[in-house]
Each structure stands twice: as structure tokens, then as C-alpha cells.
Amino acid sequence: MLTDVWTSLLLVWITCVPYTSMTPIISQSKSLQTGSTALLRGLVEGQRILSRAKRGWVWNQMFVLEEFSGPDPILVGRLHTDLDVGSTPIKYVLAGEGAGTIFAINEITGDIHAMKRLDREEKAEYTLTAQVTNRDTDQPLEPPSEFIIKVQDINDNPPQFVEGPYRASVPEMSQVGTSVTRVTATDADDPVYGNSAKLVYSILEGQPYFSIDPNTAIIKIALHGMDREMREEYLVVIQAKDMGGHMGGLSGTTTVTVTLTDVNDNPPKFSKSLYEFVIPEDLGIGKPGGKVKANDRDIGENAKSTYNIIDGDERDVFEITTDAQTQEGILRLKKPLNFETKKSYTLKVEAANIRFDPNSGAPFKDTATVKIAVEDSDEPPVFSKPTFVLQVDENAPINTVVGTVTARDPDVTGSLVRYFIDRHTDLERQFNVNVDDGKITLAKPLDRETDMWHNITVTATEIRNHSQISRAIVAIRVLDINDNAPEFATEYEAFLCENGKPGQVGGIHQANLLDVFFLQLLSLPTDNSISVLAKHDTFRRQKQEMYFLPIIVTDNGNPPMSSTNTLTIRVCGCSREGIVQSCNVEAYVLPIGLSMGALIAILACIILLLVVLFVTLRRHKNKPLIIKDDEDVRENIIRYDDEGGGEEDTEAFDIATLQNPDGINGYLPRKDIKPDLQFMPRQSGGPNGVDVDEFINVRLHEADNDPTAPPYDSIQIYGYEGRGSIAGSLSSLETASSDSDQNYDYLREWGPRFRRLGELYSVDLYPPPS
């Protein structure tokens, strides 16, 4: 009996080990039915032994090969229990992930088959539950137990470069072994089982320039001296192969574009060693005279150069600047050129890189020779001096030679020069100039007192080329002669105190000197002033108010000139300190005996009389001047104050007509005025839908065209309230029935407050108390 047990255990072990693996995986037997016992009978060493036997599953996990595509379902494994001894009807039940769809179990034998093609990359393992039940009663004989079916990987996925294609850069002339970039490939196969996901990298295209580490996939420089100027871009093809790179492995590829970045390894180089330029001598300061360029095979900042003049004759005449856009050297003029002085220049120009590697040891510069030939230009005449200062007496006669200006043609040919005066600077044509020799003569008499200086502009022009013009300023000073007598600057008026003492200074007055000579005056000759002294103290305003003192002023010119001027002296009343208090005429009325208060009172009375007179005239003017003679009616103003008689005035206007426009069937003539003209009858009212606005417009038009109507500014009264209005007319004229015809029963419902109103309109509404 024991032998049968061991045989059963060996069978279970064989069926639970997957056929794809030779490694046995056996778990310890577990009891699946708690509290259940069974008696097993067997012989051990010839004796019959009664014991409690353990019943359970014998397995750990199962495996199934992915992507299996055989004609029959693949056997995954077999379940077996020690209760399956043949006497008890056993039934194996499978539940969990994929039970019944992906995995099927033989209820009698416990064999598990995979019904579908599995993919480990979609799902790597399945968790299921196994249970043993009675086939007849479906009662569980063991508790359920969980196990796992793992999908065994096969190499069915090639490596993939998810981030490809790649772009990388590395400086040119890098050392061998310099890292460029790293690529990464992924494999969807199981990295644990087998070599399906073990990748090896290699270069298919890109040797001998680059290499790649087969394990880390780092791309490196493999060739020394890779020059960007020779080749800038490389295309490298990288392969990743699984199965460790062995035969039968799957592979994937990607591309890496490697760009060599520039380093400053090339100096600038002039395209030629000698440059020759011809520059006209009249080239303006700062204007370009020529261009040179040094080419650099580098790019970007490494190709930028700067230019300098390092040698040559008179280097301060020229300068060279760098054009940032074209990287050219622009030769410019710093000083004017003169063909007659120097006809050629030789310069040495250098071009040097702005950025360079000092460790490289290479000279990142180049030089070239520049020869400049000065071209003769037709230059304008040149005056001997930029400004001429001349002098002439103011009494000089006409055609007097004031001075001479000279100019010459600086060209080698030496053209003759002609002179002219710019009349914009000599509007009065005071001077003339000889066109041949430049002599300036006087054309009109001069007056130093009017203009002391004359500034004119003289032009010099070549005879052969009139467009070459030069200008010079000529300042002519007019010299003074004694031709003006001295005189007072203004009409002076001095004062004298009537109670002053003899010898008191009355005032200081200055003479107006038109010449530059000092006056021979009584005193203070340095500032040309005089002092007037009183000889006695008998000056009184009552006797004489003003004195007119003639004064003769003489200069000491050659010949001497003199003039007579009058000084007005006014006698004034002063204080004891000599301060003037009053020089007016009011001083004469003070002896009359009237005080200042009396004068103010008289002035106030005069103003009061004027105000009363003004008010009286104002009132008299406001009274209307109307002729009230009844017989004289010519040009009389007739005043009308008639405002109408209201609703009782039924003769002038038919108010009912205004209140009901549809009730008019013809023209109703006025009763108070006899019309002089035959008036056309009105048209009947509008349709039933007429509104108030239309009604007013119609009546307004009729009133404007009615010759028998009242004056234009009369008031037109309209009682029409519109068609369809709920409210009736409030006018008593509109009432068509008497009070007895009205029904006032509704006042009964309004309460005691309307009792009195109801009594006024109906005697039956509120009967009197008995």
C-alpha cells in the first residue's frame, strides 16, 4: 500500500513540472480540506497500519510557452489530489484569470491546456484557483488553492530606438575617444529569462570616423584631426541586436547625425597682398576711399576680424574700420588730401581675429599693402586770408579804394580768378569790387554814426569753371571825423526850490556826445556833465513858474563843433530838507483860504447833484409817450387783452367740433365774423383709426390756411382726446344726456364716504330717513 502512495506522489511531480524546463519545482503538500479525515490501509513491513493521511496538491507554478501556434492546445500541466483513488468521483474545477477562455481543465484528469496563443508582452502571468469537488453532489472536497501560470518568453521583439533618429555635435579637431553622444534601444522581451533582451550595439555606417561601445552605446571620436572646413556633417548608422549579438538575434537600427562645430583654427587671409586705390583729393572727411577684406574659413565669432593700419607714411591721414556685416575693412579719410602737396601714400594693413586660442601657437592675423594714388581735382580758389579787416574814413569820396582781397587757384593749371560781392551781404550797395584784381572801392557815402562796421562777403570764381566758388568775409571799419556837434541826450527838466539857498545844485545833466572827443564843459569833464547853481533865493512860483536856460556845448575836435541846448528849470515847493513836495498849479489856490476838507465837501455836493439829475431824467424817459387822441388813429399801437370767454363763449368757436372730428360732415361757418372770402369747407375727419397727433396736424394745417381765422398768435384749443380712449370728456358741453339719464348705482358700492356725492346725483340712491 505504501508503494502505491509513493508511486502516486511520483506521478504528481512529473505532471506538475513543465515540459519546457528540466528543473523540478515541488512544493510541500498542503491540506485542502480542514477537519476531513480518511483511513488508508497499507502494509508497512508486513503489518496492517491504521493512520491519518494528508490530502493535498503538489505544485508551485506552471509555465506555458508564448506565441505557441500548434494545431492542438498546448498542455500546461496537470492537477492531482490524493483523494483521487478511483472509488470517489472526483471533479477538478478551475477559476481565475483566463479560466474557461484561455485555460481549460479536464474535470476528470486535471490536465490544464492553453486554448489561445499567448503573448508575454501583453500579460506575463495569470493567477488561477483550483478546487476539488464531488462530481455527483458538487460538494467541495478540499478548500480552493491559488497557483500561477507564467508565460515563458521567446525572442519575438526586436530592439527599438524610441528617441531616434539622433542629432549630436562635437568640436572639430577633437581628440580620439572624445564622447559624442549616447543612444538607447529597448527590447520588449523578458530581460530575466534568457538573452532575448540582452542588446549589443555596433556601427553599420560611420567608420573610421566614429566608434561605439557595444554595451553602453556611447559614440566616440575614432579618427584624429577631423576638420570642419573639410567636412562638417557625418551620418552614422547604429545597430542594436538582442540575444547578445549571436546568430538568430533580432536587431534594430537608428541614425545619428553628427555635426562638427567650429573652433578658431584658421587665421584670416587677404585675398591678395597688394591693394591699389585712386582717391580724389576733394574726398570729404570720413568718406570711404577703398575696401579690403581678409577671408576666414571659420564661421561665427571665430571668423570675425578687426583691421588696423600698422605701418606706412602719414598714417594719421587715413583710418580703417571694420564693417560688422560684411567683415570688410573700410579705408576712410581723416585729413584733407592735397594733390599739389602729396600725390601718393603707402600703408600696411593688418587683419586679426577677435577671438583666438592662445595655446594654438598659430598667428591668427595677416597683413597686406595698400597703395593710394591721389587724383587731382578742380579745386575752388583759395583766399590768402579767411577774413580781411579794412578801414575807411567816413568822409571818404566815392570810388576811394578801401582795400584789396587776393585769391589763387591751387590747381596745377592755375586758372585766373574773378571777384564778386555777395549782394545779400551788401543790400545798400555801399561797395564795389574789381572783378580782376579784387580791389574794393566805395560806391556810396558813409556815415559812422549810422553804421560803424560793414561786413560783406566777397566770392572768388575760376574763369574756366564757374561752379568752383570760394568765399571770404571782409570787415570794413568806418573811421570817425568831427562832423557832429554835441547835444543833450534828451530834453532835460530840472527843479529848483523856491525857498532854496544860493549856490544850491539844481541838477546834473549829461550831453550826448556823437563823437569820441571830450566836451569842454563847466565841470565834471570826465562824464560830460554840467552842474547848475542858483545865484540867489528870490525864486517864487507866483512870480515865475519855469525858467528856460540856454546852454552852449562845444567839443574840442578839429574843427571844433558846438550846439545850443535849452534846459527847463521848474520852481517847486520843497521841505526844509530840500525834498520836492509840489510843483503843480494847485499851489496857487491855497492862498484863497479853503482847506482841503472844504474842497472835498464841495466835490461831494457836485456829485450828489449829478446823481439826482440822472435819476430824474431816467424816470421821465420811462413814461410812455402815447397819443390818446381818438380821432388821430394814424400809426397808433392797438393793444388787445381779450383772452376768450371760455366754455360759455360758444359764438367764437365750436368746441364740440374740436372734441369730435368725425362728427363734421361739412363746413360750419363762424358766427362772430363775416368772412370776406369764400372758404372751402373742410374735408371730413380721418378714418376711425385717427390718433391725436394726426388730428392736431390736420387742424394746424386748416388754421394756417384759413383767411377768416384769428391772428396767427391766437391760442387754438383742442378738446379731442383720441379714438378709443376709456376716459370721457370732462367738458359739460360733451355731455349728451341729463343727470337723470345716468345710473349712479355703483356709488352704493363705494361706501359711506361717497354718500353725499350720491345724494347730489340721485334721490333714490340714498333715500332720506323716515
Side-chain angles (χ1 to χ4, degrees):
M1 198 61 185
L2 183 59
T3 303
D4 296 338
V5 173
W6 283 104
T7 303
S8 176
L9 292 176
L10 181 60
L11 180 61
V12 171
W13 173 77
I14 294 175
T15 57
C16 291
V17 175
Y19 70 88
T20 57
S21 176
M22 297 305 295
T23 302
I25 302 176
I26 304 175
S27 65
Q28 188 177 1
S29 177
K30 297 171 61 180
S31 177
L32 301 179
Q33 183 175 359
T34 306
S36 175
T37 61
L39 297 177
L40 296 177
R41 297 174 180 177
L43 294 177
V44 179
E45 294 182 359
Q47 296 182 0
R48 187 182 181 91
I49 300 175
L50 180 62
S51 64
R52 184 184 298 272
K54 294 181 179 180
R55 294 179 294 271
W57 308 104
V58 181
W59 79 87
N60 186 356
Q61 58 185 358
M62 298 181 182
F63 294 88
V64 61
L65 193 65
E66 72 166 333
E67 303 294 345
F68 182 79
S69 58
D72 298 326
I74 182 174
L75 178 63
V76 179
R78 176 177 295 175
L79 302 179
H80 188 72
T81 180
D82 55 359
L83 296 179
D84 190 7
V85 295
S87 60
T88 303
I90 297 300
K91 179 182 179 181
Y92 294 94
V93 179
L94 187 65
E97 295 178 338
T101 56
I102 299 176
F103 301 101
I105 189 172
N106 191 313
E107 297 178 353
I108 298 176
T109 63
D111 294 338
I112 300 176
H113 291 81
M115 308 301 295
K116 293 183 178 181
R117 183 176 179 177
L118 301 179
D119 189 357
R120 190 200 66 83
E121 287 72 34
E122 294 182 0
K123 190 172 181 61
E125 61 182 28
Y126 296 85
T127 302
L128 295 98
T129 302
Q131 190 175 24
V132 179
T133 62
N134 190 304
R135 187 182 304 130
D136 298 332
T137 63
D138 289 335
Q139 293 296 323
L141 301 179
E142 297 284 350
S145 182
E146 189 178 84
F147 68 97
I148 297 174
I149 298 178
K150 289 189 175 182
V151 181
Q152 190 176 19
D153 183 49
I154 64 172
N155 190 16
D156 61 342
N157 291 281
Q160 293 182 354
F161 292 90
V162 180
E163 299 178 357
Y166 297 85
R167 296 193 68 89
S169 61
V170 64
E172 63 173 333
M173 309 301 292
S174 297
Q175 298 296 326
V176 175
T178 303
S179 177
V180 178
T181 186
R182 181 180 181 179
V183 296
T184 303
T186 58
D187 196 316
D189 292 328
D190 191 355
V192 178
Y193 176 77
N195 294 327
S196 299
K198 185 178 181 180
L199 304 180
V200 174
Y201 299 90
S202 61
I203 292 182
L204 299 181
E205 183 180 342
Q207 295 94 348
Y209 308 104
F210 301 95
S211 64
I212 188 170
D213 189 288
N215 297 319
T216 62
I218 297 177
I219 302 175
K220 300 178 181 180
I221 296 292
L223 185 63
H224 178 72
M226 298 178 65
D227 192 0
R228 185 200 65 83
E229 288 72 31
M230 300 299 295
R231 183 177 177 182
E232 184 175 3
E233 193 172 85
Y234 296 84
L235 182 65
V236 182
V237 179
I238 305 298
Q239 175 185 265
K241 190 174 183 180
D242 59 12
M243 297 300 292
H246 296 296
M247 185 70 67
L250 303 178
S251 63
T253 60
T254 188
T255 58
V256 181
T257 302
V258 181
T259 302
L260 297 182
T261 58
D262 183 60
V263 297
N264 193 9
D265 58 343
N266 293 281
K269 187 69 176 176
F270 283 103
S271 58
K272 51 186 179 180
S273 60
L274 178 62
Y275 292 87
E276 293 181 347
F277 301 106
V278 177
I279 301 177
E281 64 173 331
D282 58 352
L283 182 67
I285 302 298
K287 297 296 183 180
K291 296 180 181 180
V292 297
K293 185 174 183 180
N295 298 314
D296 195 323
R297 298 177 62 190
D298 296 323
I299 60 175
E301 294 293 328
N302 297 324
K304 291 184 177 180
S305 302
T306 179
Y307 297 87
N308 294 287
I309 299 175
I310 60 175
D311 198 5
D313 48 353
E314 298 189 27
R315 288 180 293 168
D316 56 345
V317 178
F318 297 92
E319 65 177 354
I320 189 168
T321 58
T322 304
D323 190 330
Q325 299 296 329
T326 62
Q327 288 299 304
E328 293 177 323
I330 310 299
L331 195 65
R332 299 180 185 275
L333 194 62
K334 290 178 62 178
K335 293 182 178 180
L337 298 176
N338 192 342
F339 174 81
E340 291 73 24
T341 304
K342 190 174 180 60
K343 297 178 174 60
S344 64
Y345 297 86
T346 301
L347 305 175
K348 188 175 183 180
V349 179
E350 178 187 74
N353 277 149
I354 298 176
R355 296 175 55 184
F356 64 92
D357 186 5
N359 299 324
S360 62
F364 288 89
K365 60 181 65 176
D366 192 19
T367 59
T369 302
V370 178
K371 289 188 176 181
I372 301 172
V374 180
E375 183 183 24
D376 187 22
S377 299
D378 190 6
E379 300 176 84
V382 179
F383 282 93
S384 58
K385 295 186 294 184
T387 303
F388 296 86
V389 179
L390 306 178
Q391 295 180 349
V392 62
D393 294 333
E394 65 174 327
N395 61 346
I398 304 299
N399 295 326
T400 299
V401 177
V402 179
T404 303
V405 294
T406 58
R408 66 177 182 85
D409 183 9
D411 298 327
V412 178
T413 56
S415 174
L416 296 178
V417 177
R418 303 189 68 181
Y419 302 91
F420 300 93
I421 294 179
D422 186 356
R423 291 305 177 182
H424 292 91
T425 61
D426 186 23
L427 298 177
E428 296 181 359
R429 297 181 177 271
Q430 290 278 164
F431 304 94
N432 292 326
V433 62
N434 190 294
V435 295
D436 297 324
D437 55 12
K439 290 183 179 180
I440 299 176
T441 57
L442 188 63
K444 290 183 179 180
L446 300 173
D447 187 1
R448 192 199 66 84
E449 287 72 32
T450 304
D451 291 310
M452 186 179 298
W453 286 90
H454 294 269
N455 295 320
I456 62 176
T457 299
V458 177
T459 62
T461 307
E462 291 183 8
I463 295 178
R464 295 179 307 176
N465 188 358
H466 296 287
S467 62
Q468 298 295 340
I469 301 175
S470 297
R471 289 176 171 81
I473 297 176
V474 179
I476 301 174
R477 180 184 179 184
V478 181
L479 300 178
D480 182 50
I481 62 172
N482 193 20
D483 58 347
N484 289 282
E487 61 183 11
F488 284 163
T490 59
E491 295 182 0
Y492 291 100
E493 182 176 299
F495 64 88
L496 179 66
C497 295
E498 61 179 346
N499 55 355
K501 297 180 181 180
Q504 184 178 5
V505 178
I508 298 176
H509 306 275
Q510 184 177 10
N512 181 23
L513 297 181
L514 299 182
D515 299 313
V516 293
F517 301 100
F518 295 108
L519 295 176
Q520 293 180 347
L521 301 176
L522 297 178
S523 62
L524 301 176
T526 57
D527 58 357
N528 301 329
S529 61
I530 61 175
S531 297
V532 180
L533 304 178
K535 300 179 65 174
H536 57 82
D537 58 352
T538 60
F539 295 99
R540 295 290 182 270
R541 283 182 290 174
Q542 294 84 352
K543 183 178 180 181
Q544 186 172 349
E545 180 184 1
M546 291 185 183
Y547 293 88
F548 299 97
L549 179 64
I551 298 176
I552 299 175
V553 183
T554 305
D555 60 17
N556 56 355
N558 186 19
M561 302 290 291
S562 63
S563 65
T564 302
N565 299 269
T566 302
L567 175 64
T568 302
I569 301 176
R570 184 184 294 275
V571 180
C572 302
C574 303
S575 62
R576 294 181 180 180
E577 292 77 11
I579 300 175
V580 176
Q581 291 183 341
S582 176
C583 294
N584 297 329
V585 185
E586 63 176 354
Y588 295 107
V589 299
L590 291 177
I592 299 177
L594 296 177
S595 64
M596 184 64 66
L599 292 176
I600 294 175
I602 293 173
L603 182 61
C605 293
I606 294 173
I607 293 174
L608 181 61
L609 291 175
L610 292 175
V611 171
V612 172
L613 179 61
F614 175 77
V615 173
T616 303
L617 293 176
R618 183 86 176 183
R619 290 182 178 179
H620 181 71
K621 184 178 180 180
N622 290 338
K623 292 183 180 181
L625 301 176
I626 301 176
I627 302 175
K628 294 186 178 181
D629 190 358
D630 295 337
E631 295 180 357
D632 189 1
V633 295
R634 293 173 299 176
E635 298 182 358
N636 287 347
I637 298 175
I638 307 302
R639 183 182 301 171
Y640 296 93
D641 293 332
D642 187 8
E643 297 181 357
E647 294 182 350
E648 297 180 357
D649 187 3
T650 59
E651 296 296 326
F653 301 96
D654 190 355
I655 297 179
T657 302
L658 298 177
Q659 294 176 345
N660 187 8
D662 292 336
I664 302 176
N665 294 324
Y667 165 67
L668 296 179
R670 294 179 56 172
K671 301 177 182 181
D672 57 340
I673 298 175
K674 182 178 181 180
D676 296 333
L677 301 174
Q678 186 66 30
F679 178 70
M680 297 301 294
R682 293 178 179 175
Q683 300 294 330
S684 59
N688 295 332
V690 67
D691 55 2
V692 176
D693 181 63
E694 183 179 355
F695 169 76
I696 294 297
N697 291 330
V698 172
R699 292 296 180 264
L700 179 62
H701 177 74
E702 293 177 352
D704 291 340
N705 295 277
D706 187 2
T708 62
Y712 298 117
D713 56 352
S714 63
I715 299 175
Q716 301 291 335
I717 301 175
Y718 300 101
Y720 179 59
E721 297 180 356
R723 218 64 48 220
S725 175
I726 299 176
S729 175
L730 299 179
S731 175
S732 61
L733 299 178
E734 185 66 17
T735 304
S737 60
S738 61
D739 294 341
S740 60
D741 296 335
Q742 302 293 330
N743 186 5
Y744 299 98
D745 293 342
Y746 57 85
L747 295 177
R748 187 186 305 274
E749 300 175 359
W750 287 9
R753 294 185 179 181
F754 297 91
R755 181 182 184 88
R756 180 57 181 167
L757 184 61
E759 292 177 356
L760 294 176
Y761 283 90
S762 177
V763 295
D764 298 332
L765 184 59
Y766 295 98
S770 58

